[in-house]
Amino acid sequence: MTQNDYENLGGKMKELRIQKKLTQAEVAAALDVTPGYISNVENNRTAMSLRILVYYAKLLNISLDSLIGKIDSEYQASALDREIMEELAEMSTEDKEKLLQTIRLWK
């Protein structure tokens, strides 16, 4: 990760939280931290520990790989592949066949 990635980490985490329609207080309660801590992270005044970052990803129902991929552009491609595979794993065989047909049409 570049310095710029670290500088944008908090903002991207805030965007993800808002997309999931969670408040800072809800995230703080789930992670057993204070809302002020979440605010400090989102405003790049402090960094989350790896342990809390893992719990944050679980809370948002995304993999840590996916979270890092959203933050680090160099890691994004492999994280995207993993996220696609996770979604595919949850699909029915019938839906997978429809998706495959759609992909073939795009090519």
Side-chain angles (χ1 to χ4, degrees):
M1 293 178 90
T2 66
Q3 182 64 29
N4 193 37
D5 291 326
Y6 285 114
E7 291 169 1
N8 293 326
L9 177 61
K12 291 188 182 199
M13 293 177 77
K14 180 178 182 177
E15 288 173 22
L16 291 169
R17 175 183 60 77
I18 291 170
Q19 286 174 7
K20 297 290 183 172
K21 297 183 174 32
L22 293 169
T23 65
Q24 286 182 343
E26 290 169 330
V27 170
L31 300 179
D32 197 27
V33 297
T34 66
Y37 174 80
I38 300 300
S39 176
N40 285 336
V41 168
E42 290 182 353
N43 289 295
N44 296 309
R45 290 187 291 262
T46 192
M48 276 189 177
S49 69
L50 180 57
R51 181 179 66 81
I52 299 291
L53 198 57
V54 168
Y55 292 140
Y56 183 84
K58 285 183 181 181
L59 175 66
L60 297 182
N61 198 27
I62 60 175
S63 68
L64 186 57
D65 282 354
S66 177
L67 177 60
I68 298 303
K70 290 180 184 345
I71 296 164
D72 184 353
S73 57
E74 292 177 15
Y75 193 78
Q76 193 167 16
S78 61
L80 181 59
D81 290 342
R82 180 181 168 118
E83 192 169 355
I84 289 169
M85 293 306 293
E86 288 173 358
E87 292 295 327
L88 283 173
E90 296 176 10
M91 293 176 72
S92 70
T93 301
E94 182 180 325
D95 287 342
K96 287 177 185 178
E97 289 171 355
K98 290 177 186 176
L99 180 60
L100 183 57
Q101 290 173 358
T102 302
I103 291 170
R104 287 181 177 148
L105 287 172
W106 284 347
K107 290 168 79 178

